[in-house]
Amino acid sequence: MPSVVINDGHVVYEILGDTGELIVLTPGGRYGMDIPGLRPLAEALVAGGHRVLLWDRPNCGASDVQFFGRTESHMRADTLRGLLTALELGPCVLAGGSGGARDSMLTAILYPELVSRLVLWNIVGGIYGTLNLGAHYILPSLQAVRGRGIEGLLRLREWRERVEANPRNRDRLLSLDREEFLRLSLLWLQAYVPKPGQTIPGVEDDLFDRIQAPTLIIRGGAKDLDHPKRTSLEVHCLIENSVLIDPPWPEDAWERAMEDFVTGRADHYNMFDTWVLAAPEILKFLAEQ
């Protein structure tokens, strides 16, 4: 895969399709572009006449690990700006689900000149969803470094996988300063403490006025604790030029995926397997806007 050095770290990417408007497609969590379910959506969008840029964000997939910025999403927004600038791409469509939705929204807030339209789904919010992010993505690494120093990161499966995908990451992790890592981890953790006036972790509500691009929001499932229906409704209220639609997948798709994930089954839903069902709605929105 090709890569570009952004902020002293390699960012791996792939562009699918030869013609048409570019869509930057971003998955959730710390998953890379090889996460099952993402490529079928990308291929459906290419079949609909678009190009699609897939990328491994810092700390995801085969890209270099990086640690800077007010939040991890701020770091990723800055990285995406650098990637699009280096590739001389944009303005373009930003489309993302879960953490990818948050990264896309923040990019549109900070760098609106890069964004022509915005497509969002599985938006994380609410008390459970927000606290769960901090517990999952920040606390294990913070506790490992407090107890064992920077070397403790290599005991965590998440960072071992980053080294397996990209051997450079071992030295990059071991070169981190313990005190600076702890300081940054505590800063990133603050974003995941629910606060009045922050529908999205680490992003003040009044900043959404900066999003002027036409926006499609696929609302969260009725009982989805990670991506609450209420949060997508609130984001719809915050983004003036937005359209809200019902999910094209079953209302309980995420809950069933979580059950399968916890029990080790894969016979019903992978977390992102249903995302391809959004392709017709996304293509319709882009054709009309």
Side-chain angles (χ1 to χ4, degrees), residues 261-284:
F261 176 77
V262 170
T263 59
R265 300 196 313 268
D267 56 348
H268 191 198
Y269 290 126
N270 175 277
M271 287 185 291
F272 306 139
D273 273 350
T274 55
W275 283 9
V276 67
L277 300 177
E281 293 291 349
I282 295 173
L283 293 170
K284 177 183 175 182

Side-chain angles (χ1 to χ4, degrees), residues 139-174:
L139 290 182
S141 295
L142 194 157
Q143 292 164 345
V145 172
R146 285 187 68 201
R148 297 179 177 274
I150 286 298
E151 293 80 5
L153 293 176
L154 297 179
R155 290 176 171 264
L156 300 179
R157 176 182 176 182
E158 177 175 31
W159 301 117
R160 292 201 309 270
E161 289 178 345
R162 299 288 65 74
V163 172
E164 291 170 4
N166 175 358
R168 283 193 307 271
N169 280 331
R170 179 180 176 84
D171 289 341
R172 291 182 69 87
L173 287 169
L174 292 177

Side-chain angles (χ1 to χ4, degrees), residues 58-74:
N59 305 337
C60 303
S63 287
D64 287 351
V65 295
Q66 298 200 52
F67 301 91
F68 66 88
R70 175 183 168 187
T71 70
E72 196 161 15
S73 285
H74 281 78

Side-chain angles (χ1 to χ4, degrees), residues 1-6 9-17 22-26 32-34 38-39 51-58 60-64 79-80 82-89 168:
M1 291 292 178
S3 67
V4 175
V5 176
I6 308 294
H10 289 264
V11 178
V12 175
Y13 70 94
E14 180 182 2
I15 297 178
L16 283 64
L22 183 72
I23 301 171
V24 178
L25 184 58
T26 307
M33 58 182 168
D34 61 347
L38 187 67
R39 188 167 293 269
R51 292 177 296 152
V52 174
L53 186 150
L54 301 175
W55 63 304
D56 282 348
R57 297 160 292 167
C60 303
S63 287
D64 287 351
T79 302
L80 181 55
L83 179 62
L84 292 174
T85 300
L87 297 178
E88 298 182 344
L89 299 171
R168 283 193 307 271

